[in-house]
């Protein structure tokens, strides 16, 4: 218990917690003024691949099993199709056995946003406004628009998909990486969703974002090898070499979504209720912005475990 008290009394932790509070207050006011409604989606849900995280389960009194949602993606799609044009929430997220580096926690928060639009530039502009508004409140300079680079060019130019373009350690260096490949190579054991491990020519791949990201160059009779060339209508925002935001335009065509599921070996029968909701007339996209990673950058602190009052990385 003394470790917890010592952690909570730390100057860095106090600074992070007060800043989180400022960010939440600021964003709630900003999003409300922009016409967004705050809606909390369920944390636990049914057993559906590409939706659940089977590492966390809850049993009710009737021994029915509920699973941690992999993401609110399906809920977001339902909200859009039900006529909620702009939604956001402060979503609690959980991951296990995925700690690849010092920028990952088992439990963390995302600022989750979805809106009816078919243009990712609308989302990008909104994110820049959100960040600029936060920075203005705490007297930090933030110049927009942020530079943009195509996903397939990023590695060739910088040798990484998370370039750090700072000239000084106190800088805030943002860069957008757009039109990312649908699949990315994985060299670690990552239990994400059933369809995660996709083997092509003896190499293992996972989905760069998720199976609902709209592809820009999909072919009806696409071959397995050509899957590696598919890019999605997507974006990541990198700040000081750390990815802080990820988003895309969603698929709203049932036939296209079924075709993609088939090529990725996802059982479409488990998605019939969801797929029947898709309406080509309703275009939507969204993103998730990492709370802890933003606070890290704004406090110039690279210890992510100091971004929360309590976290399992410290106290397990």
């Amino acid at each position: 218990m003394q470790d917890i008290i010592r952690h909570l009394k730390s100057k860095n932790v106090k600074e992070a917690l007060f800043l989180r509070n400022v960010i939440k207050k600021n964003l709630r006011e900003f999003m409300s003024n922009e016409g967004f409604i705050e809606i909390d989606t369920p944390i636990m849900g049914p057993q559906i691949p590409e939706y659940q995280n089977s590492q966390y389960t809850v049993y009710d009194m009737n021994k029915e099993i509920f699973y941690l949602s992999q993401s609110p993606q399906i809920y977001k799609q339902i909200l859009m199709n039900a006529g909620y044009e702009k939604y956001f929430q402060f979503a609690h997220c959980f991951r296990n056995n995925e700690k690849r580096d010092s920028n990952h926690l088992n439990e963390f928060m995302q600022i989750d946003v979805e809106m009816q639009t078919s243009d990712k530039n609308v989302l990008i502009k909104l994110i820049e406004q959100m960040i600029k508004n936060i920075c203005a409140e705490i007297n930090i300079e933030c110049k927009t628009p942020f530079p943009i680079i195509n996903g397939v060019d990023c590695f060739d130019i910088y040798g990484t998909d998370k370039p750090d373009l700072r000239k000084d350690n106190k800088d805030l260096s943002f860069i957008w990486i757009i039109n990312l490949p649908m699949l990315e190579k994985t060299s670690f054991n990552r239990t994400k969703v059933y369809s995660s491990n996709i083997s092509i020519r003896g190499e293992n791949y996972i989905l760069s974002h998720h199976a609902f990201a709209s592809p820009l160059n999909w072919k009806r009779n696409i071959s397995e090898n050509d899957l590696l060339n598919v890019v999605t209508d997507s974006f990541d925002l990198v700040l000081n070499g750390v990815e802080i935001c990820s988003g895309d335009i969603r698929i709203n065509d049932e036939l296209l979504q079924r075709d993609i599921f088939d090529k990725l070996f996802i059982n479409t029968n488990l998605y019939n209720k969801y797929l029947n909701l898709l309406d080509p007339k309703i275009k939507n996209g969204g993103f998730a912005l990492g709370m802890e990673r933003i606070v890290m950058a704004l406090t110039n602190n690279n210890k992510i475990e100091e971004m929360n009052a309590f976290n399992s990385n410290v106290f397990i």
Side-chain angles (χ1 to χ4, degrees):
M1 188 62 69
Q2 289 302 315
D3 288 342
I4 299 175
I5 299 299
R6 194 178 302 113
H7 172 81
L8 290 171
K9 286 185 174 181
S10 161
K11 178 183 176 182
N12 289 346
V13 173
K14 285 184 178 180
E15 183 182 14
L17 294 182
F18 277 98
L19 181 54
R20 286 175 71 110
N21 189 61
V22 169
I23 290 172
K24 282 186 173 183
K25 182 180 178 182
N26 181 286
L27 285 180
R28 279 196 166 103
E29 182 178 358
F30 174 82
M31 298 301 277
S32 177
N33 290 338
E34 291 293 320
F36 285 80
I37 179 173
E38 184 174 356
I39 302 175
D40 296 319
T41 59
I43 292 176
M44 307 300 290
Q47 182 180 14
I48 302 177
E50 193 56 46
Y51 162 83
Q52 75 182 47
N53 184 329
S54 301
Q55 295 166 327
Y56 298 85
T57 59
V58 172
Y59 296 82
D60 70 5
M61 293 179 65
N62 299 318
K63 295 185 178 180
E64 186 175 354
I65 305 176
F66 293 88
Y67 296 83
L68 178 75
S69 298
Q70 173 66 23
S71 74
Q73 184 54 46
I74 288 181
Y75 294 125
K76 291 189 284 189
Q77 199 79 356
I78 292 171
L79 286 168
M80 293 297 106
N81 281 274
Y84 295 87
E85 296 181 6
K86 294 181 175 182
Y87 131 95
F88 83 103
Q89 71 170 312
F90 296 99
H92 286 274
C93 307
F94 308 85
R95 296 291 184 271
N96 199 8
N97 297 329
E98 282 194 40
K99 192 178 179 189
R100 292 157 276 169
D101 54 47
S102 59
N103 293 321
H104 287 79
L105 292 169
N106 290 333
E107 181 177 350
F108 55 96
M109 177 174 284
Q110 289 181 341
I111 303 155
D112 199 66
V113 179
E114 194 83 7
M115 66 183 293
Q116 289 189 8
T117 181
S118 60
D119 185 355
K120 66 174 172 288
N121 292 311
V122 172
L123 301 174
I124 286 173
K125 184 177 179 180
L126 174 67
I127 297 165
E128 290 183 345
Q129 289 175 325
M130 291 166 67
I131 293 173
K132 191 168 185 177
N133 205 47
I134 292 167
C135 289
E137 181 150 332
I138 58 178
N139 298 316
I140 291 179
E141 186 179 8
C142 178
K143 296 180 180 179
T144 57
F146 306 146
I148 297 177
I149 189 171
N150 198 289
V152 296
D153 298 327
C154 191
F155 254 108
D156 292 339
I157 295 173
Y158 297 111
T160 176
D161 60 351
K162 298 174 181 63
D164 187 347
L165 306 182
R166 282 179 292 180
K167 297 177 181 178
D168 182 278
N169 283 336
K170 293 184 180 180
D171 286 348
L172 290 182
S173 174
F174 295 92
I175 184 170
W176 290 108
I177 303 169
I178 64 169
N179 302 343
L180 297 147
M182 183 175 72
L183 299 176
E184 64 181 48
K185 231 178 239 189
T186 177
S187 58
F188 54 88
N189 293 324
R190 184 180 186 186
T191 305
K192 186 178 180 185
V193 290
Y194 287 124
S195 62
S196 286
N197 299 321
I198 301 164
S199 182
I200 299 175
R201 298 199 297 264
E203 300 278 359
N204 291 325
Y205 295 85
I206 58 172
L207 290 161
S208 176
H209 278 198
H210 48 70
F212 311 98
S214 184
L216 292 172
N217 57 339
W218 187 262
K219 298 177 183 177
R220 182 67 180 169
N221 297 313
I222 195 167
S223 68
E224 185 181 68
N225 287 343
D226 284 339
L227 285 174
L228 298 180
N229 298 320
V230 175
V231 294
T232 55
D233 201 1
S234 58
F235 54 85
D236 287 344
L237 179 59
V238 174
L239 169 58
N240 298 350
V242 176
E243 180 191 310
I244 66 164
C245 180
S246 181
D248 48 69
I249 299 298
R250 322 303 192 187
I251 297 167
N252 64 327
D253 183 296
E254 180 181 352
L255 292 178
L256 173 60
Q257 186 69 83
R258 287 184 181 276
D259 192 33
I260 289 174
F261 279 172
D262 287 342
K263 296 298 190 301
L264 298 175
F265 308 105
I266 297 173
N267 187 348
T268 54
N269 291 330
L270 297 171
Y271 286 92
N272 284 327
K273 289 182 179 179
Y274 167 76
L275 290 165
N276 291 338
L277 286 173
L278 296 179
D279 184 349
K281 295 190 297 292
I282 299 176
K283 315 284 189 180
N284 64 288
F287 56 87
L289 195 59
M291 175 68 82
E292 288 78 11
R293 295 184 181 187
I294 293 174
V295 176
M296 279 175 63
L298 295 180
T299 57
N300 199 29
N301 181 352
N302 62 3
K303 295 181 179 178
I304 197 167
E305 65 272 11
E306 294 184 339
M307 299 301 105
N308 288 329
F310 306 96
N311 68 75
S312 57
N313 289 22
V314 176
F315 303 122
I316 278 183

